[in-house]
Amino acid sequence: DVKVTQSSRYLVKRTGEKVFLECVQDMDHENMFWYRQDPGLGLRLIYFSYDVKMKEKGDIPEGYSVSREKKERFSLILESASTNQTSMYLCASEGANQPQHFGDGTRLSIL
Amino acid sequence: AQSVTQLGSHVSVSEGALVLLRCNYSSSVPPYLFWYVQYPNQGLQLLLKYTSAATLVKGINGFEAEFKKSETSFHLTKPSAHMSDAAEYFCAVSDQQAGTALIFGKGTTLSVSS
């Protein structure tokens, strides 16, 4: 079974802080994704990566960056956290011709 | 551009009743379609996917969905609801089976009463 592990289930940070959300997958998948989930809006793509050091912007990249130095790890970075980035963040990974597998999510609160 | 519309943000059924969650899509190319379920405080779990092999797709936990091109629909059904089916359900579309982001609907919360 594919396992996608997000480092924190709950996180509380202050405005202006630099925040790192970590995601690790154990299936040697090429593709990894970061989504943001808000009530009534569904999931929206922030960034995705199709290989080490490769990344593509999604629908809502503003205020975020990503890092993929190793194949199994995909990090989401909030450069200077703001209250409107309070949300649930979901990471997913995907192998060739396979559906996306999701982690359990990180519920992030920015105070 | 692709899009997904889930009709009804909340659906309530009684235990044992038919579950019907509606999903309509828009796509300029043959779509790949997915249904995911999210239980409280968890990530998304794949229920089923349509990849053009068969129009009626069977998934886990007794769910199935039928792809209807003429209606651009991919509704999710289950003949008899269980209390454990209470969750949020997301329909998603993609123009590839993998290698690209999914476009999600806004979700439908299913409540099941005894």
Side-chain angles (χ1 to χ4, degrees):
Chain A
D1 247 9
V2 178
K3 189 160 180 63
V4 179
T5 302
Q6 294 184 230
S7 55
S8 303
R9 293 296 305 275
Y10 301 93
L11 208 52
V12 180
K13 296 291 182 181
R14 297 207 173 274
T15 55
E17 279 192 68
K18 191 169 186 176
V19 181
F20 294 85
L21 302 184
E22 307 286 348
C23 176
V24 177
Q25 50 98 357
D26 66 352
M27 287 299 292
D28 201 37
H29 284 168
E30 301 289 338
N31 304 323
M32 296 187 75
F33 305 81
W34 275 107
Y35 292 91
R36 171 176 170 161
Q37 182 182 10
D38 298 289
L41 296 179
L43 278 74
R44 294 176 291 167
L45 181 69
I46 305 172
Y47 269 97
F48 75 95
S49 169
Y50 50 91
D51 203 350
V52 173
K53 297 190 186 295
M54 306 302 287
K55 62 185 179 185
E56 292 280 346
K57 292 181 179 179
D59 298 320
I60 52 166
E62 296 78 20
Y64 303 95
S65 63
V66 290
S67 172
R68 191 154 180 215
E69 297 295 321
K70 293 185 178 181
K71 194 174 188 180
E72 67 270 18
R73 185 181 297 270
F74 190 35
S75 302
L76 179 69
I77 304 157
L78 285 65
E79 298 291 343
S80 178
S82 63
T83 54
N84 63 12
Q85 292 178 309
T86 291
S87 187
M88 169 75 103
Y89 291 87
L90 290 163
C91 174
S93 78
E94 175 192 79
N97 295 324
Q98 295 179 24
Q100 292 183 23
H101 294 267
F102 285 81
D104 283 337
T106 296
R107 190 168 294 281
L108 175 64
S109 295
I110 307 296
L111 304 179
Chain B
Q2 296 176 303
S3 65
V4 171
T5 302
Q6 292 184 239
L7 298 174
S9 58
H10 289 88
V11 170
S12 297
V13 300
S14 300
E15 197 171 20
L18 171 72
V19 175
L20 171 61
L21 304 182
R22 299 177 188 274
C23 172
N24 288 89
Y25 70 90
S26 171
S27 178
S28 58
V29 299
Y32 294 89
L33 293 158
F34 306 81
W35 274 101
Y36 282 86
V37 61
Q38 184 179 36
Y39 298 103
N41 297 317
Q42 293 186 26
L44 275 66
Q45 179 183 0
L46 181 71
L47 277 177
L48 51 81
K49 62 178 181 178
Y50 167 75
T51 57
S52 77
T55 56
L56 182 62
V57 182
K58 294 189 183 298
I60 62 171
N61 302 338
F63 284 94
E64 63 181 36
E66 187 173 8
F67 173 69
K68 292 187 176 181
K69 184 178 178 181
S70 61
E71 299 177 8
T72 60
S73 69
F74 190 57
H75 301 333
L76 182 71
T77 60
K78 182 174 180 177
S80 177
H82 295 161
M83 297 293 286
S84 60
D85 294 328
E88 190 161 21
Y89 292 79
F90 292 94
C91 181
V93 66
S94 173
D95 59 4
Q96 300 175 33
Q97 189 170 358
T100 188
L102 297 173
I103 307 299
F104 284 88
K106 291 179 168 46
T108 298
T109 299
L110 175 67
S111 300
V112 182
S113 58
S114 57

